[in-house]
Each structure stands twice: as structure tokens, then as C-alpha cells.
Amino acid sequence: LMDESRDLTMSGNLQSTVALTITEKNGAVRTRKVNMISKTYGGTEKRMMKFLEPADVRGTAMLIIDNKDDQDDMWIYLPALKRTRRIVSTEKGKSFMSSEFTNADMASGRNADFNISHMAGSGQNGQWVIESVPVDDDVADEYGFSRKVTYLDKDDLKIRKIDFYNFDNDLFKTIEILATQPKPGGQKGYIMTEMYAVNHLNGRSSRVKFDNINTSASIPDNTFIADNLSR
């Protein structure tokens, strides 16, 4: 179920403007504007994000190779340092651009990293409730949580939300999928167009919203190389 659910979210060719909104506990809001392109190759999705606004992050860029059966590969370009560096596995659980999403949340993740099982009551009330526990302590440290619980629609396997638990087994974060749109041309699956993450411990939240979605653009394969992040 989790493998099939992942495959349904592979977006194919996609260009979009993305708004990342970060809301502090006191209500202060910061917004970041991103240009994103992605392309799917079988079970692998390649994704490049370049930050446009505000000025303090303009030019920052990130490349993600989201592998189904292998570790994800990530690189980031930092214009202040004028260099591109690989994001190592120990940084998966780090914050993505100061938001409540992590670097790992920007990819689908590898199901082989987890022991996956149904929770009690899974299959009732029209949804599957599936627990994913890291296979060992090293993997748990990489992702930054002790377990996650994914809620899937039983009929179409759409992800509705994911709950994340810390190492004290407290619920500390929830990601909700607020909006989707069908893949073009009658393809099976969907594109996530709005996601909301809330940290239950610190009161911060973040929202990702896709606008100006183009699913018919021609995207050259050589777009997705680390050398292009600085261009």
C-alpha cells in the first residue's frame, strides 16, 4: 500500500511557482517564493527548486533525486558562499529553509528504511492507518523521529495526513495534504498542490502552496545536475 501510494504522487513533468509560508507562534509570518521543476523517470523523481524571494534567500537552490529503492540524493547551492554542497544523510531531519518541513519531507522517502505495519482499526472509516518505524536507531536519527503514522484514503490511496512522533513517543508534528489535482491525460495518480505542517510542541506552522502549475512543459534531462544549481 505504501509503495503504491508513493507511485501515485510521482508528478511527471511539472513546472510551478511555490509559496512557502512560515508562521511563528506569535503570529509573525514570513513568505518565500520558489520556482520548481520536476520530472519522473520510472520510480525516480528529480526535482529542482530555486528561491526567488525574499532577497536574503534569493539564488538559493536545491536539487533532489527522489529514489524509490535507494537513498535519496540532495544538493544545495548557497549563493553567499558561492558553492554547491551535498546534503548528507544526517541532515535529512534538519529544517527545510527554516520551515516546519524537513529536508526529508521534500522527498517521498524510501520505504525500505522503515518497518511498516497496519495500526489497530486500519481499514475502518474509509482509511488505512499505517505505522512506519525506522529500521534502526541510525535511520531514526537521520529522519529525526521515532515513528510516523500515515492516513491513506482506502479507495484511492491518497495521503490525507502524516503524524510524526519524537523519541519520547510524543506527537510533535502533523503534515496535512490540503489540496490535490489529478495528473493530466487521465494518468493514474495526483499532484499535491497544498500542504500544511504544524509543530505541536513549539506552535509554529508552515504551508506550501503550488501556483501556475504547468504539466505540459518540455524539460531537458540535463536540467537535473548539481552544476546547474548556481545558474
Side-chain angles (χ1 to χ4, degrees):
L1 289 174
M2 291 294 283
D3 281 343
E4 186 175 348
S5 175
R6 179 193 185 278
D7 291 344
L8 291 174
T9 65
M10 297 292 99
S11 57
N13 284 27
L14 176 68
Q15 287 186 330
S16 178
T17 301
V18 180
L20 170 61
T21 304
I22 302 165
T23 304
E24 302 290 342
K25 184 178 181 178
N26 64 7
V29 176
R30 290 175 290 154
T31 301
R32 306 186 187 283
K33 185 177 180 181
V34 185
N35 182 64
M36 192 193 81
I37 55 176
S38 65
K39 192 170 184 177
T40 300
Y41 303 80
T44 298
E45 184 163 279
K46 299 183 179 182
R47 190 176 307 115
M48 183 176 284
M49 294 176 280
K50 294 191 175 183
F51 284 77
L52 308 175
E53 298 174 2
D56 63 339
V57 297
R58 184 182 301 130
T60 301
M62 191 171 183
L63 173 64
I64 300 171
I65 310 298
D66 190 351
N67 297 305
K68 181 175 183 178
D69 299 318
D70 203 351
Q71 294 291 338
D72 297 328
D73 295 310
M74 299 181 181
W75 292 265
I76 189 168
Y77 173 73
L78 301 170
L81 302 178
K82 295 185 178 180
R83 75 180 182 97
T84 298
R85 70 171 183 85
R86 192 184 188 97
I87 296 175
V88 297
S89 59
T90 54
E91 297 176 287
K92 282 182 180 179
K94 302 290 187 182
S95 171
F96 172 73
M97 297 303 289
S98 302
S99 74
E100 291 311 302
F101 295 98
T102 65
N103 291 324
D105 294 332
M106 295 297 104
S108 299
R110 189 173 71 134
N111 286 329
D113 285 339
F114 301 94
N115 294 316
I116 300 173
S117 60
H118 286 281
M119 297 282 287
S122 181
Q124 300 176 11
N125 302 316
Q127 64 182 0
W128 300 113
V129 183
I130 299 176
E131 181 183 61
S132 301
V133 178
V135 293
D136 57 38
D137 290 343
D138 289 340
V139 174
D141 287 340
E142 287 179 12
Y143 282 94
F145 57 81
S146 65
R147 65 188 181 100
K148 66 178 179 178
V149 178
T150 304
Y151 296 79
L152 303 175
D153 275 353
K154 195 172 180 180
D155 291 337
D156 55 17
L157 296 186
K158 275 188 181 180
I159 301 170
R160 289 305 177 189
K161 72 171 182 174
I162 308 172
D163 287 333
F164 296 84
Y165 292 80
N166 63 19
F167 297 107
D168 292 324
N169 202 30
D170 296 322
L171 173 64
F172 77 94
K173 185 175 78 171
T174 298
I175 295 178
E176 294 182 80
I177 312 305
L178 300 182
T180 65
Q181 73 175 44
K183 287 183 183 178
Q187 298 178 69
K188 189 177 181 181
Y190 62 98
I191 299 168
M192 298 180 189
T193 57
E194 188 171 2
M195 293 169 282
Y196 177 74
V198 59
N199 189 309
H200 302 290
L201 301 184
N202 65 23
R204 298 175 79 238
S205 63
S206 301
R207 185 182 303 265
V208 168
K209 190 174 186 299
F210 288 64
D211 297 301
N212 306 312
I213 295 173
N214 181 357
T215 57
S216 60
S218 177
I219 303 173
D221 291 343
N222 62 6
T223 299
F224 302 98
I225 58 175
D227 287 346
N228 284 338
L229 289 174
S230 61
R231 296 174 183 172

